[in-house]
Amino acid sequence: MVTKKAKVLLAEDDLSLGYVIKDNLQDAGYDVVLCPDGQTAIEKFDKTQYDICLLDVMMPNKDGFTVARKIRQLSDMVPILFLTAKSMEEDKIKGFLTGADDYITKPFSMQELLLRMEVFIRRTRKLHAEQVQEYSIGQMKFSYTDLKLHTASDTFTLTQKEADLLKFLCEHANHILKRDEVLLNVWGKDDYFLGRSMDVFMTKLRKYFKADPNIILETIHGVGFRFNASVS
């Protein structure tokens, strides 16, 4: 269990389930704020700092996707986990594109939820505690801690997942990386839906790299990727 009491924003319109989750999280040492709808969750997040957000997808007064987008406008750091009864591929990919870090499909065990939460909270706290990590990528400057990618004319603010992926690519520049290797190191598991999401994130990074034609994020079909760039 994380040592410092972590604050959790829980948005779940099924209040019976919501109170079960809340009680279990409190028993595990978490400080939990339960919201019955998406609008309430946005209002609560706007007033208080949270260590992690658990969002149901289907909610009245703004669904989980809308809440996640709003949270990402306010914070790139706080982990977001979707609690969803949906298993459709497009819903999972949409969730990652709105800024979610992971999803857990109902019904789930509390032990699984607690373990996933602890991973993300420890990772975020470690990131806050680390010194600034900066990379020179060709003519660009990348600050992992600040989630910023600077070009000669623009500054892009990355999501946490974009920054995690770019950091891993920088650490393994000019080497062939297998798809499952990237998934395991950046997403924590090798999963078909996560693989589709990874391809979307790779496409987004390529758009940033257009400012420097010497940076090439190459797809090696049937194998994986190679980040061709001068990195220091």
Side-chain angles (χ1 to χ4, degrees):
M1 177 57 61
V2 290
T3 55
K4 180 184 175 183
K5 196 171 188 179
K7 196 170 186 66
V8 180
L9 178 67
L10 170 61
E12 171 60 69
D13 67 317
D14 181 344
L15 290 181
S16 296
L17 175 60
Y19 280 114
V20 169
I21 297 173
K22 179 179 179 179
D23 289 344
N24 277 272
L25 294 183
Q26 289 178 331
D27 289 343
Y30 289 95
D31 180 9
V32 184
V33 174
L34 174 60
C35 303
D37 59 73
Q39 182 60 41
T40 302
I42 292 173
E43 293 170 359
K44 293 290 186 182
F45 187 87
D46 197 36
K47 297 177 182 177
T48 307
Q49 289 188 339
Y50 292 90
D51 293 284
I52 192 167
C53 299
L54 309 178
L55 308 178
D56 184 28
V57 171
M58 301 302 294
M59 292 187 292
N61 301 326
K62 301 190 186 305
D63 62 17
F65 299 129
T66 303
V67 178
R69 280 192 290 267
K70 181 60 178 178
I71 289 174
R72 279 292 168 254
Q73 291 174 8
L74 300 171
S75 171
D76 291 310
M77 297 293 293
V78 62
I80 298 175
L81 273 67
F82 275 126
L83 312 177
T84 175
K86 291 192 171 185
S87 58
M88 296 292 288
E89 175 184 349
E90 56 265 30
D91 290 314
K92 294 177 180 179
I93 292 177
K94 183 178 180 180
F96 286 115
L97 291 178
T98 59
D101 295 279
D102 203 354
Y103 61 87
I104 184 167
T105 304
K106 302 174 185 176
F108 52 82
S109 71
M110 284 306 306
Q111 182 180 12
E112 180 184 4
L113 177 60
L114 287 167
L115 288 173
R116 292 201 193 188
M117 289 171 59
E118 289 174 25
V119 167
F120 284 108
I121 292 172
R122 284 199 183 100
R123 183 182 301 170
T124 304
R125 287 182 173 175
K126 181 180 179 182
L127 178 60
H128 279 295
E130 289 176 345
Q131 295 181 345
V132 174
Q133 298 184 46
E134 296 186 345
Y135 300 85
S136 294
I137 310 172
Q139 300 175 13
M140 298 183 177
K141 300 292 183 182
F142 167 45
S143 174
Y144 176 66
T145 305
D146 295 335
L147 304 176
K148 301 292 185 183
L149 181 63
H150 304 278
T151 70
S153 57
D154 293 296
T155 296
F156 300 102
T157 299
L158 308 181
T159 66
Q160 184 62 57
K161 191 59 67 179
E162 287 175 333
D164 290 342
L165 177 56
L166 181 52
K167 180 175 182 287
F168 187 73
L169 293 174
C170 288
E171 292 172 344
H172 301 83
N174 305 304
H175 290 84
I176 294 175
L177 294 169
K178 294 182 179 179
R179 287 182 62 87
D180 59 354
E181 182 180 2
V182 180
L183 284 169
L184 288 170
N185 281 275
V186 179
W187 275 267
K189 57 184 175 181
D190 183 2
D191 176 276
Y192 171 77
F193 298 111
L194 293 180
R196 291 290 304 275
S197 178
M198 177 178 67
D199 291 334
V200 173
F201 278 97
M202 291 290 186
T203 299
K204 292 176 71 175
L205 289 182
R206 287 190 180 99
K207 292 181 180 179
Y208 299 139
F209 299 146
K210 286 182 179 180
D212 186 344
N214 292 316
I215 301 175
I216 301 174
L217 179 49
E218 177 185 5
T219 296
I220 302 175
H221 294 288
V223 180
F225 308 93
R226 180 164 50 204
F227 187 43
N228 300 302
S230 174
V231 178
S232 59

